[in-house]
Amino acid sequence: MHASELQTPAAVVDAEALDLNLSAMTAALPGPRLRPHVKAHKTTALAARQAAAGHRGFTCATIREVEGMAAAGLGEDLLLANEVVDAHRLGAVVADGGRVTLAVDSPATVAAAASGGVREILIDVNVGMPRCGCDPADAGRLADTARAAGLGVRGVMGYEGHLMMEQPRGERGAKTEAAMALLVRAHADVGGELISGGGTGTYDINTWVNEIQAGSYALMDTAYGSLGLPFVQALFIEATVISVNQGHWAVADCGLKALGMDHGNPSIPGAKVWFCSDEHVTFSADPLPAVGDRIRVIPAHVDPTMALHQALHLLGPDGTVTETWEIDLRGW
Amino acid sequence: MHASELQTPAAVVDAEALDLNLSAMTAALPGPRLRPHVKAHKTTALAARQAAAGHRGFTCATIREVEGMAAAGLGEDLLLANEVVDAHRLGAVVADGGRVTLAVDSPATVAAAASGGVREILIDVNVGMPRCGCDPADAGRLADTARAAGLGVRGVMGYEGHLMMEQPRGERGAKTEAAMALLVRAHADVGGELISGGGTGTYDINTWVNEIQAGSYALMDTAYGSLGLPFVQALFIEATVISVNQGHWAVADCGLKALGMDHGNPSIPGAKVWFCSDEHVTFSADPLPAVGDRIRVIPAHVDPTMALHQALHLLGPDGTVTETWEIDLRGW
């Protein structure tokens, strides 16, 4: 099948670009230096590629992602880098032989881990973004609480998400250093072998952690594309032009229900995007395309885009669909 | 089961509010005066409620919605209010006994309807929003083209989507009148029994069409909630507080992957939303909730929110889950 035969909108991947991204990251962060974040693609088939490249540990954002990764045989070392108040589904994964390490940032989430049957935790430390993570000064005490509850403490994590898009690069480096100083100090109080953090925007800047949780680098989006990283756009939404208003605008069938919109409008190479509706993107271009033409839309934010699609079609250089992967880690 | 036992984030519906909304709309627009738009809820079980209230014709935005409605026994009169360039799946629905009317706005989409096995069309007329729809002056000629291709021409549609949020109401009325003058003139050239248009924001203002395509009124969102309509918020995302930074903020497990974000941040009654991440909403409130507390988040835009959830849980007044509906019209 050729991409032009896919029902649109369809999530398609330039297989060569994906390979390039995977190789570039593995070269920079081999083996356990990278703990790929599956939230950015929600696809066990893609995670299997990352595992084949030597990254055996993964980062997850949801219980469903942990369950799905374990069921796909990728449960050797799963970090749920997020707090939960009911860990019994994670405990079931552990009972089935998966290794699950759960982030905790409060006595309540420590208690949830212990009562749910999870055996290992990381202390999640707030390094400056107003989200999860304990006060760095509380990390040691929380680790003691976890140990007293019978949990193994593997170390600390701290996500500098507020710095991923910081420009210029030098500024991103300076602020990351300051954020990571908090994490390193917390680690001294906590102990354990893991200092986990980072993302696609700081993968080669954050040298204070010993594993990087990057995910977006594999497929990319226009937000990360603006940073000048050595990763190229691999994900596109294939769309069909369904209406043309001659001399003014065209409309394709790729709208709010096919695109993560929190980072704003998507991009269309060679065109100017006007706005998106539920099932439409309105754009201008010179010349305008014709009704029936195919276009490729680039999402502004990869993660929520993946949550809206059922399948990812890999394309060879001539547009042939070489593989179709189910986006099987959606939902909760 | 009680709502507090649902895995979060979970899409829940105040069943009483839903009933109130359905009744209020049916009272205003009985029977065929309303052609409910299923794109706003993507749930055949909810559509069955609308059908039971006397609305036997439905509006769809995607081929998948048409197929799913017909498969659920709700295919008596389905309007796909959108252009397609390949109608063979719609033709299959027609061959199976469903009635499908397809919007067309160009010779290419007329040809697609005819070759795909669709037998009836509406001329989609542009009434001012830069999206689909032909120039009003071309509508009559396009109807002739359709008739020459053997298609039945049921009338016209024109969606004044750009006016739904126009404030104050008087201004919305004046602009809707001007937009509908274009549609009525096109209808004089086209003929047929249907003049279709309107939405939740103009359901009682647009008296020029003979059927209204409203959908959002059933579940509602904060955008439509700002218009002072007689519909109340029925949809909420049930979420769990997973982290609290005392004196500053709290975090619940309802983020970009559980919310349509194109209209901006969601709302939390009694709280101030700071921002959303993939799986988190950060907010402040006085007092802050505790880890493990449940909260209800109100989406800014209902339609893309529904596309992110698998199920809709109806809640009785005490929070008991009285029914669970599959959101079965997702995808394309």
Side-chain angles (χ1 to χ4, degrees), chain A residues 14 16 36 80 140 149 174 210 301 318:
Chain A
D14 176 335
E16 209 167 14
L80 179 48
N210 57 24
H301 191 185
D318 63 349

mmCIF file of all heavy atoms in Angstrom, chain A residues 14 16 36 80 140 149 174 210 301 318:
data_model
loop_
_atom_site.group_PDB
_atom_site.id
_atom_site.type_symbol
_atom_site.label_atom_id
_atom_site.label_comp_id
_atom_site.label_asym_id
_atom_site.label_seq_id
_atom_site.Cartn_x
_atom_site.Cartn_y
_atom_site.Cartn_z
ATOM 1 N N ASP A 14 8.245 8.993 8.500
ATOM 2 C CA ASP A 14 9.349 8.834 7.554
ATOM 3 C C ASP A 14 10.339 7.882 8.223
ATOM 4 O O ASP A 14 11.041 8.261 9.171
ATOM 5 C CB ASP A 14 9.958 10.217 7.298
ATOM 6 C CG ASP A 14 11.182 10.168 6.394
ATOM 7 O OD1 ASP A 14 11.863 9.113 6.338
ATOM 8 O OD2 ASP A 14 11.488 11.192 5.767
ATOM 9 N N GLU A 16 13.106 6.567 7.454
ATOM 10 C CA GLU A 16 14.518 6.944 7.403
ATOM 11 C C GLU A 16 14.819 8.010 8.464
ATOM 12 O O GLU A 16 15.845 7.964 9.148
ATOM 13 C CB GLU A 16 14.808 7.507 6.005
ATOM 14 C CG GLU A 16 16.201 7.314 5.521
ATOM 15 C CD GLU A 16 16.300 7.614 4.001
ATOM 16 O OE1 GLU A 16 15.347 8.226 3.431
ATOM 17 O OE2 GLU A 16 17.318 7.249 3.404
ATOM 18 N N PRO A 36 14.394 5.836 27.451
ATOM 19 C CA PRO A 36 13.430 6.499 26.545
ATOM 20 C C PRO A 36 12.053 6.640 27.202
ATOM 21 O O PRO A 36 11.584 5.725 27.875
ATOM 22 C CB PRO A 36 13.359 5.542 25.355
ATOM 23 C CG PRO A 36 14.621 4.753 25.394
ATOM 24 C CD PRO A 36 14.966 4.619 26.843
ATOM 25 N N LEU A 80 7.866 4.452 36.274
ATOM 26 C CA LEU A 80 6.690 5.315 36.141
ATOM 27 C C LEU A 80 7.060 6.642 36.784
ATOM 28 O O LEU A 80 7.074 6.765 38.011
ATOM 29 C CB LEU A 80 5.449 4.694 36.795
ATOM 30 C CG LEU A 80 4.171 5.551 36.733
ATOM 31 C CD1 LEU A 80 3.912 6.087 35.328
ATOM 32 C CD2 LEU A 80 2.967 4.767 37.217
ATOM 33 N N GLY A 140 15.507 13.323 51.527
ATOM 34 C CA GLY A 140 16.147 12.323 52.379
ATOM 35 C C GLY A 140 15.155 11.706 53.354
ATOM 36 O O GLY A 140 15.107 10.481 53.538
ATOM 37 N N ALA A 149 8.948 1.593 55.021
ATOM 38 C CA ALA A 149 7.766 0.890 54.500
ATOM 39 C C ALA A 149 8.161 -0.356 53.711
ATOM 40 O O ALA A 149 7.311 -1.002 53.100
ATOM 41 C CB ALA A 149 6.945 1.842 53.621
ATOM 42 N N ALA A 174 22.830 26.983 31.623
ATOM 43 C CA ALA A 174 23.038 27.598 32.940
ATOM 44 C C ALA A 174 21.866 27.289 33.869
ATOM 45 O O ALA A 174 22.052 26.952 35.049
ATOM 46 C CB ALA A 174 23.213 29.108 32.775
ATOM 47 N N ASN A 210 22.398 10.641 35.596
ATOM 48 C CA ASN A 210 23.073 9.512 34.945
ATOM 49 C C ASN A 210 22.165 8.752 33.979
ATOM 50 O O ASN A 210 22.583 7.768 33.366
ATOM 51 C CB ASN A 210 23.787 8.591 35.945
ATOM 52 C CG ASN A 210 22.850 8.032 37.013
ATOM 53 O OD1 ASN A 210 21.643 7.950 36.800
ATOM 54 N ND2 ASN A 210 23.409 7.669 38.149
ATOM 55 N N HIS A 301 2.954 19.613 18.692
ATOM 56 C CA HIS A 301 3.316 18.863 19.902
ATOM 57 C C HIS A 301 3.025 17.385 19.670
ATOM 58 O O HIS A 301 1.874 16.988 19.491
ATOM 59 C CB HIS A 301 2.521 19.401 21.096
ATOM 60 C CG HIS A 301 3.008 18.886 22.424
ATOM 61 N ND1 HIS A 301 2.373 19.156 23.603
ATOM 62 C CD2 HIS A 301 4.082 18.122 22.750
ATOM 63 C CE1 HIS A 301 3.022 18.556 24.601
ATOM 64 N NE2 HIS A 301 4.053 17.937 24.111
ATOM 65 N N ASP A 318 9.836 6.015 -1.065
ATOM 66 C CA ASP A 318 8.886 6.261 -2.151
ATOM 67 C C ASP A 318 7.446 6.396 -1.651
ATOM 68 O O ASP A 318 6.515 6.443 -2.454
ATOM 69 C CB ASP A 318 8.972 5.130 -3.183
ATOM 70 C CG ASP A 318 8.576 3.782 -2.575
ATOM 71 O OD1 ASP A 318 8.442 3.700 -1.324
ATOM 72 O OD2 ASP A 318 8.390 2.819 -3.342
#
